[in-house]
Amino acid sequence: MVDVLVVDDNEIERAGRELVLRRHGHRVEAIDWATARTASTSAEVVLAVVRRDPAAFDRWDRLRRAGGFRRLGRPGARVMALTSDPNPISPIARLRLVRAGADGIFTTGDLSTGVLLDAVVRVTRPRASAPRVVIGRVAVGRDCDPRAVVEHVLAKAATDPAYLRAFEPGTAQNASGLSRRRAHTLRVKVAALGDLTALTPASGGEPRDLSLPRWTDMVSFVNLCRVWSPDDADVGFEAPVDLVC
């Protein structure tokens, strides 16, 4: 028997996972993310469901506001992050979960039965590692902090919404409303927070300054940090997970 804390904003799926885990003999507390921000529990294992919010600039706004996973359970608790999207997440999104304190990372498809859910709670696995990433013409270093990148953009946007427009896919730098000076300053800061290194183009082209990534590469990187998806334009209802006991 394991003390488990389930954190999820979907009331039906939260109750379903609570019921399944109880049937497998565990002690379970189930709460939403708003409650989790101030809750103090003695859970040995935290099952935290991270859902994307297509209406927010930071699609993982709940996770960012909660300050990560570590405060959710007792010291040393194992944290299992479960993304609501059944599709594999990007390496940058995975890195963000690792930086937030996730020991294991799963999608809804990984834990579609009660047996699988019980196994994740009971079995200690090697801790999820931070992936080494190359995105197009940009290398992402070990000190990359995706959440800090998003926090910086949001802080700047608090006084100038052009900082949000700048990262709308398809928006040219000169159409965002940012001056060249502010755009350059933003590139410098994001490159530092993301531990980014510009790479030489794969083939052809004139020699260029590699001290900073190109603007288009910066936009792609920030959108990965905020877990943006091309599918966000068509927001639909999530199908409930069928948990088989």
Side-chain angles (χ1 to χ4, degrees), residues 23-46:
R23 286 180 175 175
H24 281 268
H26 303 293
R27 288 190 293 265
V28 187
E29 180 180 0
I31 59 178
D32 60 20
W33 277 97
T35 304
R37 292 177 63 184
T38 56
S40 177
T41 75
S42 59
E44 302 169 68
V45 174
V46 176

Side-chain angles (χ1 to χ4, degrees), residues 129-160:
S129 58
R132 302 188 69 175
V133 186
V134 173
I135 304 171
R137 296 166 296 199
V138 176
V140 181
R142 296 181 182 276
D143 293 330
C144 173
D145 189 341
R147 180 193 173 201
V149 169
V150 175
E151 293 277 13
H152 178 71
V153 174
L154 288 172
K156 302 296 289 185
T159 56
D160 188 350

Side-chain angles (χ1 to χ4, degrees), residues 178-243:
L178 291 178
S179 66
R180 293 185 65 180
R181 179 181 62 81
R182 286 187 297 166
H184 177 78
T185 301
L186 181 60
R187 287 171 66 199
V188 171
K189 186 64 175 180
V190 169
L193 294 172
D195 194 12
L196 305 181
T197 303
L199 302 176
T200 304
S203 62
E206 297 181 359
R208 61 175 295 270
D209 178 14
L210 294 179
S211 62
L212 284 176
R214 301 171 190 262
W215 176 258
T216 53
D217 295 330
M218 298 288 292
V219 171
S220 297
F221 171 72
V222 171
N223 282 330
L224 288 172
C225 289
R226 68 187 185 96
V227 204
W228 175 86
S229 168
D231 297 330
D232 287 347
D234 299 314
V235 180
F237 296 104
E238 288 187 301
V241 174
D242 182 17
L243 292 175

Side-chain angles (χ1 to χ4, degrees), residues 4-18 21 29-34 36 45-53 59-64 66 68-69 72 79-86 97 102 104-109 111 117 238-239 241 243:
V4 183
L5 174 66
V6 176
V7 183
D8 191 355
D9 279 340
N10 185 302
E11 182 179 3
I12 295 175
E13 292 191 21
R14 182 175 70 236
R17 291 191 174 91
E18 178 184 12
L21 288 170
E29 180 180 0
I31 59 178
D32 60 20
W33 277 97
V45 174
V46 176
L47 182 67
V49 182
V50 183
R51 297 183 179 278
R52 297 172 66 258
D53 180 0
R59 299 317 201 235
W60 281 352
D61 187 66
R62 287 283 195 276
L63 175 61
R64 180 179 58 83
F69 301 116
L72 298 180
V79 178
M80 304 292 110
L82 174 61
T83 62
S84 62
D85 190 335
L97 294 176
I105 299 172
F106 304 90
T107 68
T108 53
L111 305 181
L117 193 62
E238 288 187 301
V241 174
L243 292 175

